[in-house]
Amino acid sequence: MRWANLEDILPTQKLIKSASFKEDKKISYISVSESELIALLKLLKEELGFKLFIDHSVADFPERKPRFDAFYILYNPQKNARIAVKTQTDGELDSAQHLWFAAKWAERECYDMFGIKYKGHENLVRAFMWETYSHFPLRKDFPLEGYATEYLPSLNEVFPGGDLTGLMNYDRMHTPVPTLKDIEITERSRLKKRAQIVLNWGPLHPGTHGTMWFLFDLEGERVVQSDVILGQLHRGVEKLAENEMYNQFLVYTDRMDYLSALCSNQAWVVAVERLLGIEHLVPEKAKYIRTMMCELQRINSHLLWLGTYALDLGALTVFLYAFKEREKLMDIIEGITGARLTISYTRVGGVRMDLPKGALELIEAFIKHFPKELSMWESMLSRNRIWLRRNVGVGIITSEDVYYYGLTGPVARGSGIPYDLRKLDPYDAYPWVDFDIPVGQNGDVYDRYLVRLEEMRQSVRIVSQCINALRALPPDAPFMAESEDPKKLKLPLDGIGLKVQEGEIYSSGENPRGELGFYIISNGGTKPYRVKIRPGSFYNLCIYPKLMQDRVIADAVAILASLDPVVGEIDR
């Protein structure tokens, strides 16, 4: 995928007086004044074809006026080109929610984390923190540990005010936690009750696929309106990124989408390699290993989705079968990397260690056996009349919805949009392997189910080609890059001392849940100045209230499972 050139955006130079264009291989962007921002975004979407909303966020420069840099990233599906739009503000922008619904959720996040206000935004509420919280955590002047302003007695106190030296949990001052009144205010800010009853689903219900809190305004069993309250698993990963070295931050990418840690690791290191300009240094062996491991992780993730999705609708047998195969994959991943869930196997420049003896034979045995299992499960589910009644025609997403809501991954492909970064912006070994992009026709829950089944088969194809390529390489082929000039650039396995030059980039990878992107701003040195993470689950979830409107409450589980969200990635 290329960044837009001057020819792609030529009309903006004539129609938007304040627009200035900077073209670069790492990121191309249009700078515009705050007053002409919405006019430029509208022109890019409606006239120039940049209609898929990718992301929007802010970077904080507290010693500068204006204080904030706001940026938007858009995609043109006809030209397979991205463009970034930048503007500066002291804290107030016009809302872009009338152009993209996805912008509404992105603006809420910027309001929540930075305090940016958006003129014309309908019901501007916080995205993750409770409504009465008074700070903005991603501002540079907000301390990493937060403000310890609340007195909470220690669990180790024998009597009030006793000496707690040397004991765990001895600090009596803590960061604020919401009260029941705070939670009630937050809930009421999300929905203005119109129907008979507001039903709470979650945040600890097994059907929510994680700690999410859903509100349904019901008229009988019909959902009149609904909303999602996030932030139950908030981790502050973007704040931590500012205080960690590039390879040290790798371990936090494991803990976002913990069901596809290897894919998240890969997306991060590829972004840093592109920023450094060292993609050509990464050994062929490392690229094949990373690609193979990520496709095994994709199968692993989809197996958990299939098993829990079937269980949500009452098909216990498929859950047991899927987890049986998933356990085999977990053993393979553990044998190669030493970990099962949070893996941190990749490194900037390659992988942490070579494949152990016998690994390729074990993987080959799995991929020979797995398609038979998959076909058996499909014969159990795909034409089952209960399965069809619960899935066909439910939760329909149109192709225009994909662009309007910023949807990616299997959710977008289920609606007939062949948006797959492994093809459109290939990285590692994806340019060298052959595979197809499955797409749906109707955009319903059933299509998203069929797309993920076929994706597992395509992953098997990719893994098989990687095995053949790795066998053709010499056993002692390098798995870690060597710097062309170690005095200028160190590429150690532990990542200590890795320095990145001043610059910025947006780079993304195809995760099982969609596009996982990293917008990195570097001011030189061993730590990034700002890392904005673009999670597929966050934007895929923003269409959920629309899909639930006028549906019965029984559809809630099926529609949510078809979106396959992971809360660690959403809340970050």
Side-chain angles (χ1 to χ4, degrees), residues 145-350:
E145 67 277 8
Y147 294 107
T149 57
E150 301 293 318
Y151 175 79
L152 291 173
S154 170
L155 298 175
N156 294 319
E157 281 189 3
V158 178
F159 54 87
D163 182 19
L164 299 173
T165 304
L167 297 174
M168 294 178 65
N169 195 26
Y170 57 84
D171 193 348
R172 293 182 174 88
M173 299 303 292
H174 294 260
T175 53
V177 292
T179 64
L180 288 175
K181 184 178 180 181
D182 294 327
I183 292 172
E184 184 179 353
I185 292 170
T186 301
E187 181 178 3
R188 290 182 183 278
S189 71
R190 298 308 196 275
L191 284 183
K192 307 301 179 187
K193 185 173 178 293
R194 300 206 314 254
Q196 291 177 327
I197 187 172
V198 174
L199 174 68
N200 289 273
W201 183 35
L204 297 176
H205 191 285
T208 60
H209 293 246
T211 48
M212 283 186 287
W213 179 10
F214 294 86
L215 304 174
F216 298 114
D217 195 10
L218 298 176
E219 191 74 50
E221 288 194 23
R222 185 177 65 88
V223 177
V224 175
Q225 58 174 337
S226 62
D227 207 346
V228 192
I229 299 180
L230 303 173
Q232 319 296 314
L233 198 65
H234 193 52
R235 294 173 171 188
V237 168
E238 292 179 13
K239 186 76 173 182
L240 290 165
E242 301 169 5
N243 297 271
E244 301 288 348
M245 296 183 186
Y246 285 89
N247 263 335
Q248 287 177 322
F249 180 66
L250 182 74
V251 302
Y252 293 99
T253 65
D254 281 305
R255 288 154 177 81
M256 295 188 307
D257 184 351
Y258 36 76
L259 302 181
S260 57
L262 281 163
C263 301
S264 303
N265 294 164
Q266 183 188 35
W268 170 250
V269 299
V270 167
V272 177
E273 287 165 0
R274 285 174 171 174
L275 182 55
L276 286 166
I278 62 166
E279 280 184 287
H280 64 287
L281 296 180
V282 180
E284 184 181 356
K285 187 176 195 177
K287 291 185 175 184
Y288 274 115
I289 290 174
R290 294 199 309 207
T291 301
M292 178 180 70
M293 296 300 291
C294 285
E295 291 307 312
L296 292 174
Q297 184 80 85
R298 193 180 312 278
I299 297 171
N300 192 354
S301 176
H302 282 354
L303 285 177
L304 186 138
W305 158 79
L306 178 62
T308 54
Y309 174 34
L311 186 63
D312 285 342
L313 300 189
L316 173 63
T317 306
V318 175
F319 171 80
L320 298 175
Y321 280 135
F323 267 65
K324 174 173 65 73
E325 295 305 305
R326 188 170 184 266
E327 189 64 24
K328 295 175 184 176
L329 273 176
M330 297 287 272
D331 287 342
I332 290 171
I333 292 170
E334 182 183 17
I336 293 171
T337 68
R340 294 169 67 84
L341 191 67
T342 52
I343 295 166
S344 303
Y345 177 59
T346 58
R347 290 291 183 273
V348 175

Side-chain angles (χ1 to χ4, degrees), residues 112-155:
D112 191 7
M113 296 290 112
F114 292 95
I116 307 295
K117 295 181 180 178
Y118 291 87
K119 292 176 284 186
H121 189 288
E122 178 193 6
N123 193 27
L124 185 61
V125 293
R126 303 194 82 131
F128 303 111
M129 309 303 290
W130 58 96
E131 209 55 41
T132 51
Y133 189 68
S134 56
H135 303 294
F136 305 109
L138 285 186
R139 287 190 176 186
K140 287 291 184 179
D141 52 12
F142 184 87
L144 184 62
E145 67 277 8
Y147 294 107
T149 57
E150 301 293 318
Y151 175 79
L152 291 173
S154 170
L155 298 175

Side-chain angles (χ1 to χ4, degrees), residues 15-19 32-42 87 94:
L15 300 174
I16 308 296
K17 294 180 181 179
S18 63
V32 68
S33 68
E34 186 180 328
S35 60
E36 291 191 296
L37 171 65
I38 298 302
L40 174 60
L41 293 175
K42 185 175 181 180
T87 192
D94 289 319

